[in-house]
Structure formats: structure tokens, C-alpha cells
Amino acid sequence: MDHFQIIDGVLHAENVPLTRIAADVGTPVYVYSTATLSRHAQVFREGLINGGIENPHIAFAVKANPNLAVLKVLAREGYGADVVSAGEMNRALAAGIPPKDIVFSGVGKTADEIIAALKHGIGQFNIESEEEGRELSALAEIIGKRADAVLRINPDVDAQTNAKISTGKADNKFGVGLHKAPAIYARLSALPGLNMRGVALHIGSQLLNLDPLETAFTKIGKLITELRDSGYTITHVDLGGGLGVKYKAEDNPPYPDVYGEMVGRVTKGWNVQLMFEPGRVICGNAGVLLTTVIRVKPGAGNLPFTIVDAAMNDLARPALYDAWHDFEAVEPNGERFTCNIVGPVCETGDTFAMAREVDKVAQGDLAIFRTAGAYGATMASTYNSRGLVPEVLVHEDKFAIVAERIEPATILAAEHVPDWLD
Ligand SMILES: *Cc1c(COP(=O)(O)O)cnc(C)c1O
């Protein structure tokens, strides 16, 4: 459920008409709903608790939407943060998320990032290789700390999602192979700078089927038994994120209660602190990308092109993953037409939809791309010397700019011509 609904003929975010935001802030602009973010955070937690998981540790995957105000909303819901860079860690800290609730994931943590994380006392390192674990231990010793850590396992399951967001196959870069895991775990446990306390996994994103997760969790359950039989104390297991969301009408994502039931069933008797790293399921449907129709151009073929002022640099998912985002007029007139929807960027990949039946729009009309709250603004670039898209957060009948538009002139001002060219 989200809070983007038509009220008196105009699409609103909560109680704010999107026409007002467009008039105030201009377009393109991302618009997030506080109520939707909070609701999703609560529903995800309740799903786990109803599944029998007492006191789950939930760390929002910051990469899905790192906006400071969004993190603040989730911090208020008691969420921690899953971060994959020092930049994300600093955002989580700035949002007031306690260091102990921050989990540091990622295959390429640099020494500088590890040191910064150790100094801040972040709660857990998800180690992705033996080499990283050795480096972490050495750095922790220098600082005089012991790092709480878990080993990320690559369970070699096919997440049945887009190849570019699949992370748990043997040929993906993440984690260590299941068969090598016990030996690596043993060697890491012997290191003085580490407190090895469990394992982690994350097999991919936008999962619409729970079977791959269940298969992966079952493998992890066996590994836990094996590690315990070898004398290791396993107290923490991080089950990652990955739950999919509804992008189009026929998508049938598993709802958090169904997920919670499965997790509760598979992890029964594990006797560990379970940890979760949801991203998309929390924020995907909590945001839309608001755009203006620049013009509608007849195509060389038989369908017109609706050219909007948002582009692949603002919302990369269609170009990157052939992703679908519903397109709707802010003030629909009841008519429909079939068109291609594209941005102004000079790339054929700058296409949001082909031959799609949508609300009939014309030059100057406002429209939205739905389900743009996850992996939207965070992936924005300045390609074609466009500005960086701003972000707005709505709360009931109020809204605030929570990330300013970075104008092309500001970006230009950071570039310099060396004196030998003058
Ligand atoms: C991206 C990522 C997540 C979040 O994935 P979603 O599909 O957005 O839930 C969680 N954990 C790790 C390690 C990730 O890389």
C-alpha cells in the first residue's frame, strides 16, 4: 500500500497535490511519502514477528535510498543501516542511526573505510573474503579493537531475477563459496582482531519468488550446524534483503507476512540473533519520479513518442535492467493512448516504455513514474550535462526539499582548465 492517490482529479502524495510540488520545485523531481516509508518499515517488521522471529535486527540497505531525510524516517522506526561504503556509513551516522546498528557489507571495503568504521564502532562487518578478514583483523589490532564480524556465504542459488541484480550464484563476486566456508571460518576465527560470530548471505534483489531464498537459508542452516559441531559459537545470522515489489500489475511479490512465515519456519531452532537488510521493499513504492511532458512527437513508425523531462540519468533502471515503471498522468482526463515514452538524453537506451497504453498526455502535462523510491535518485548521474535531480519528502499536508537540484552550472564550476591550455 502506498500514499500516492488521486484526490479530486489530481494525484497527491499523502495530502499534497503533485501539481504544487512541481510548481514549487520544478521537474523532474523525486517525491517520497513519509507515511509509506513508515508503514513499509512497520509491515516488514511485523511480518517477521508474526513469523515467530523475536526481536529481528533490521538494517535498511542504504544503497536503495540514501537520502538523509529518508534514513531519518527509518531511524525513527528503529531501523539500523546496511552500508557498502564510508559515504553510506557517514550518512547513516548523520541520520542518527546508532553505530552498533550499522552493518558494513561489500566486497571492496578499503583500508581507510575499515579504519573509519572501526573508529566509529559500527556493529558488524560482513566479511566477503578471507583476505578482507585478515586485513580487518590486522587493522582492528592496530586500533586496539576486536571487530564483530560474520562471514558472507555465496550459497550458489539462482535468485531468478535480473542477472545484474543477482548476487548469490557461484560466478557472482559476493561472499565465499559454501564448500570453502568452514575452513575459511576456522582460519578467521583464530585471528586476534576478529570476533567471528556468524554468517551472512544476500542472494539478489527484486525476488518475486521465495523458493531461492528458502533454498539458500536451508543451506545456511546446515552450515551453522556444521560450524557449531566444529566448536564455533554462532550467535548472529544475517539473511540479507532482496524481497521484490510490485512494479507492474501482474507482479506478485511475496508479502512480508509470507516471507516472515517462511523465515520463521526455516530458521526454527537456530537460536541466533537474526538480521535483515531490506532495501527495495521498504522504499520502492514510497517514491515517484514527477516529470513534465516536453512534447509528444509523431514517430517514424506508427506510435508517437512522449518525451518527458526526466531521463535515464535521473532514473537509470529502465536503461540498466529493462525495468518497468508505471506511467500515470497527474491530472488524468480519462483518455488513453499508446505511445513510446522517452527522455531527452541522446541514447536509444533513454527509453522508459515502448508501445505502452497510458493516460493520454500532451505538452506541459505532469506525469509520474511509479515505484521510483528505490534505486532511483541514488543512481542519478549528470550525463548529457543535466543537473542532479532533487528530492522532496511529503508528510501529511507538508513537503520539504530534502535534496536540492544540483544545477549544471554548479557541476561546471567544479571543473578546471589547466593553465597550459589557457
Ligand atoms: C543491495 C543489498 C541489499 C538490499 O537489497 P534489496 O533487494 O533492495 O532488499 C541488502 N544487502 C546487501 C548486502 C546488498 O548488497
Side-chain angles (χ1 to χ4, degrees):
M1 199 208 111
D2 63 60
H3 296 76
F4 298 94
Q5 316 287 348
I6 302 257
I7 304 173
D8 295 334
V10 182
L11 195 58
H12 283 57
E14 301 190 22
N15 297 324
V16 178
L18 292 178
T19 44
R20 210 169 100 207
I21 294 173
D24 255 56
V25 187
T27 59
V29 56
Y30 279 92
V31 180
Y32 308 131
S33 155
T34 307
T36 311
L37 286 166
S38 291
R39 186 184 143 77
H40 289 179
Q42 290 160 15
V43 166
F44 186 80
R45 186 193 299 281
E46 282 159 16
L48 294 172
I49 290 172
N50 293 340
I53 297 137
E54 279 168 43
N55 199 26
H57 183 276
I58 310 178
F60 174 65
V62 171
K63 75 175 195 280
N65 189 327
N67 181 277
L68 189 59
V70 168
L71 296 183
K72 191 95 199 173
V73 171
L74 297 175
R76 286 166 60 158
E77 294 297 337
Y79 271 45
D82 175 62
V83 304
V84 295
S85 69
E88 287 189 355
M89 176 183 71
N90 290 333
R91 282 175 174 273
L93 292 169
I97 294 176
K100 69 168 177 45
D101 288 330
I102 298 178
V103 173
F104 199 165
S105 300
V107 290
K109 306 175 189 81
T110 66
D112 283 349
E113 288 178 318
I114 291 172
I115 290 166
L118 284 166
K119 287 191 169 155
H120 281 295
I122 68 135
Q124 178 172 292
F125 290 84
N126 289 8
I127 296 173
E128 301 242 9
S129 64
E130 180 169 359
E131 294 75 9
E132 179 195 328
R134 291 188 180 280
E135 192 167 351
L136 171 59
S137 174
L139 292 168
E141 266 197 287
I142 292 169
I143 292 174
K145 291 198 173 179
R146 252 185 127 179
D148 286 328
V150 300
L151 181 62
R152 179 163 174 185
I153 310 299
N154 182 325
D156 194 21
V157 296
D158 184 348
Q160 299 168 25
T161 183
N162 186 289
K164 288 179 184 157
I165 48 175
S166 181
T167 56
K169 285 279 287 170
D171 53 359
N172 296 144
K173 67 183 176 183
F174 300 98
V176 305
L178 197 55
H179 298 295
K180 294 183 186 158
I184 294 175
Y185 197 92
R187 292 195 289 273
L188 292 179
S189 295
L191 297 177
L194 299 185
N195 172 35
M196 291 303 294
R197 62 183 196 179
V199 292
L201 82 165
H202 171 72
I203 63 167
S205 198
Q206 184 54 13
L207 307 190
L208 293 175
N209 179 350
L210 289 181
D211 294 346
L213 284 171
E214 182 162 347
T215 303
F217 296 170
T218 304
K219 290 185 180 195
I220 292 298
K222 293 197 178 116
L223 176 64
I224 296 169
T225 306
E226 189 178 341
L227 291 171
R228 283 182 169 153
D229 287 348
S230 303
Y232 299 105
T233 305
I234 305 294
T235 56
H236 291 71
V237 177
D238 186 335
L239 297 178
L243 265 199
V245 301
K246 202 189 247 312
Y247 282 98
K248 47 167 121 167
E250 64 260 36
D251 286 344
N252 250 325
Y255 282 104
D257 55 338
V258 180
Y259 173 75
E261 184 280 322
M262 183 277 283
V263 175
R265 179 164 45 77
V266 176
T267 64
K268 204 168 161 63
W270 283 13
N271 194 19
V272 292
Q273 167 73 63
L274 284 179
M275 304 172 75
F276 300 87
E277 304 170 343
R280 191 187 310 268
V281 70
I282 305 300
C283 58
N285 278 309
V288 300
L289 175 58
L290 178 59
T291 187
T292 303
V293 176
I294 297 176
R295 64 180 65 86
V296 180
K297 153 187 163 158
N302 49 22
L303 288 179
F305 284 91
T306 297
I307 306 167
V308 295
D309 68 355
M312 64 187 283
N313 70 298
D314 305 306
L315 177 61
R317 298 188 66 261
L320 269 182
Y321 320 124
D322 293 322
W324 176 289
H325 288 271
D326 275 344
F327 179 85
E328 291 166 30
V330 168
E331 295 174 282
N333 59 16
E335 286 177 61
R336 308 275 291 173
F337 77 148
T338 300
C339 66
N340 307 315
I341 304 167
V342 301
V345 160
C346 292
E347 294 263 354
T348 299
D350 187 21
T351 297
F352 292 106
M354 290 299 284
R356 178 126 28 119
E357 192 200 299
V358 293
D359 292 333
K360 177 122 200 218
V361 289
Q363 181 162 25
D365 286 352
L366 292 170
I368 59 159
F369 292 102
R370 274 198 189 258
T371 319
Y375 306 102
T378 180
M379 284 189 180
S381 77
T382 61
Y383 187 42
N384 274 213
S385 290
R386 291 165 52 86
L388 268 184
V389 61
E391 296 163 89
V392 159
L393 182 68
V394 172
H395 174 53
E396 296 171 355
D397 58 359
K398 296 195 282 275
F399 73 90
I401 297 174
V402 292
E404 294 169 24
R405 187 184 309 282
I406 311 281
E407 298 289 351
T410 308
I411 296 160
L412 181 60
E415 294 180 21
H416 307 287
V417 175
D419 51 11
W420 72 82
L421 286 177
D422 260 346

